[in-house]
Amino acid sequence: DAVFKVVLRLAVASVVGACVGGVAGWAAARRELAGWPVWTRRIVTACGMIAGGCAGVLAAGWQEALELLAILSALLVCSVVDLGRRIIPNPAVAFILGTRAAYLSLGSLASCARGAVCSLAFEEMRMSLAGGVTVLLVLAVVCLFLMCARDSLRGGLGGGDVKLLVACGVCVGPVGGVTCVALSCVLSLACCLGAWLFGRAQGRGGSFPISFPLAPEVLASMVILTAYRAF
């Protein structure tokens, strides 16, 4: 009976998460990628369903599931806007930070109301702040290195990318935040390599891309980190 309840909860959470994520992806793609081929919007919708399903399955409880679903949906919107207009929308970044703040606040209030150890909740808040600060410092060093190496920040991290990664650092803490930065950079480099090889295969040639929308890689990194923490 206990196993059946767990399976049922996971099934319901995954279906609800997939529906919410799919709708978020479809709505964002319909608005931002209107001039793109239809199959691209279908891919975005499928990615939203996968991310939403992961949020429902990997969360430890309904509060965490709601937080993950909200954060991943916002990251999906950022990804679509970044692909369509090469910007990171500030309201989406603020939504991620607000969602994390609300989750931590409600969690601390619930812990204190139950008479549990409130220090654990405050420790989680401290780790979230440390995550944001750590990511910001790491990105500052990276941007400084790029500026010294190229005498320009062209092709490096934009301000929106920095804000988005810092928000993710707040969500996953110092170690997770730095890992998210590293994973995002590796995935972005792989995408640049893939785009370059595809261009050469099509006979277009051209130089190696020096920039690529980073928000989709950040979304993928957060899904990977969430899965890793769950298992």
Side-chain angles (χ1 to χ4, degrees):
D1 185 56
V3 175
F4 174 77
K5 289 182 179 179
V6 172
V7 173
L8 180 62
R9 182 189 70 81
L10 291 177
V12 171
S14 63
V15 170
V16 172
C19 290
V20 174
V23 170
W26 174 82
R30 185 183 180 189
R31 176 180 176 181
E32 299 294 335
L33 306 180
W36 290 42
V38 176
W39 61 267
T40 59
R41 297 194 288 276
R42 291 175 180 171
I43 289 178
V44 171
T45 303
C47 290
M49 294 177 68
I50 293 172
C54 289
V57 171
L58 299 175
W62 67 268
Q63 299 98 328
E64 186 177 350
L66 288 176
E67 183 204 20
L68 281 175
L69 185 57
I71 291 173
L72 293 180
S73 296
L75 286 173
L76 180 62
V77 171
C78 288
S79 300
V80 176
V81 175
D82 199 15
L83 285 170
R85 290 187 278 158
R86 294 298 181 94
I87 63 171
I88 304 295
N90 289 327
V93 177
F95 179 78
I96 293 174
L97 293 173
T99 298
R100 183 60 177 168
Y103 174 80
L104 292 174
S105 299
L106 292 175
S108 62
L109 289 175
S111 297
C112 295
R114 293 194 303 266
V117 181
C118 297
S119 59
L120 296 178
F122 290 117
E123 176 65 15
E124 191 172 3
M125 291 183 181
R126 188 185 69 82
M127 291 298 292
S128 291
L129 291 175
V133 173
T134 301
V135 171
L136 183 60
L137 292 175
V138 169
L139 294 178
V141 172
V142 171
C143 290
L144 182 61
F145 173 79
L146 290 175
M147 186 173 62
C148 294
R150 299 179 177 179
D151 292 328
S152 171
L153 285 177
R154 182 176 177 271
L157 290 172
D161 297 329
V162 172
K163 287 182 287 187
L164 185 63
L165 287 169
V166 169
C168 291
V170 170
C171 295
V172 296
V175 176
V178 174
T179 305
C180 181
V181 172
L183 271 176
S184 300
C185 292
V186 170
L187 292 175
S188 181
L189 181 60
C191 289
C192 289
L193 178 61
W196 179 68
L197 292 175
F198 180 78
R200 289 182 64 87
Q202 296 294 316
R204 294 196 298 266
S207 59
F208 192 84
I210 61 173
S211 65
F212 200 86
L214 190 64
E217 288 81 6
V218 176
L219 170 61
S221 299
M222 287 293 287
V223 173
I224 293 172
L225 285 173
T226 301
Y228 178 78
R229 289 194 302 167
F231 294 105

